[in-house]
Amino acid sequence: MSLQAAHDQSATPPAGPSGSSKALYGGKSTRRITVHDIAAATERGEKWPMLTAYDAMTASVFDEAGIPVMLVGDSMGNCHLGYETTVPVTMDQMAMLSAAVVRGTERALIVADLPFGSYQEGPVQALRNATRLVKEAGVGAVKLEGGERSHEQIRLLVESGIPVMGHIGLTPQSVHAMGYRVQGRSEESAQQLLRDAKSVQDAGAFAVVLELVPAELAAEVTRTLHIPTIGIGAGPATTAQVLVYTDMVGLTGGKVPRFTKQYANLRKVLGDAAKEFADEVVGGTFPQPEHTFH
Ligand code: KIV
């Protein structure tokens, strides 16, 4: 079935719990969600889900499920492209996969990550690369890592008309300096996280990801900011929650982080399907007459 045909079959997202016809999840609108809709939902006190996506087919499934915001995360490095970390991801890879996710969706706001090395030089480099993702891939917003250190980049992008999602706490592009550990546990780093959150908001970001932060601190940040917070390993008090989709559907091999929840076991489903196909080929029971042309 084509992506368009699949969309036509289920144009309206499923009814959600909020009851509002404008709700980000479960609302009636089928037009593309914007950052203004995110701000309005935050005013209404809605919680909302975000998932990563790296290809058109998967993105179309999540769009039909009513997921209002999708992140073409640089987690594509580990989860899609076979790298150890997010660090090697390039602008070309980000532009190509972001364009695929945009093509696969009709309703979700698509946010693309600025990969490592594409904005650290300064605001002008950030603007050049963010502009490419908006013009070439058609995304509605970009995300970049860092609080105070990325303030000027965020400010120039927002002033130039590009909505920005911030990302503070654990910032995986800094893995070589930071490691993968919970941030904000000491008084000093908690204060830094609060400064980072305010800095991202003051620069004009429309939302901020809080990654691997103690739940109490994430709750304080959420109370302090007027923009929505999006938690991953940050407890239940954030405005929104994001998961890396390959973790969420059980595709990721090996150990998955404790903060993730596996809602399906696609690794087993795909493996079982592959084995059944192989067994039938080897046993001569595939293809059958109904799969055969004369
Ligand atoms: O790249 C990514 O998937 C992310 C999420 C973990 C928020 O940045």
Side-chain angles (χ1 to χ4, degrees), residues 24 38 41-42 46-50 68-69 165 207 228 230 239-241:
L24 283 184
I38 305 281
T42 305
E46 275 176 38
K47 289 178 92 72
W48 44 272
M50 175 165 105
V69 187
M165 180 180 282
I230 307 162
T239 320
Q241 295 286 333

Side-chain angles (χ1 to χ4, degrees), residues 50 71 111-113 119 141-148 150-151 154 157-158 163-171 196-197 199-201 203-211 225 227-232 242:
M50 175 165 105
L71 171 67
V111 183
D113 255 331
Y119 61 95
V142 300
K143 174 166 85 57
L144 55 82
E145 294 183 2
E148 288 183 322
S150 298
H151 180 95
I154 298 173
L157 299 195
V158 173
V164 177
M165 180 180 282
H167 183 158
I168 60 174
L170 180 93
T171 48
D196 282 336
S199 178
V200 164
Q201 174 173 278
F206 73 94
V208 62
V209 170
L210 305 180
E211 180 163 357
L225 299 187
I227 59 172
T229 55
I230 307 162
I232 177 159
V242 56

Side-chain angles (χ1 to χ4, degrees), residues 13 66 125 135 139 187 278:
Q125 187 203 22
K135 290 182 77 157
V139 302
E187 180 55 28

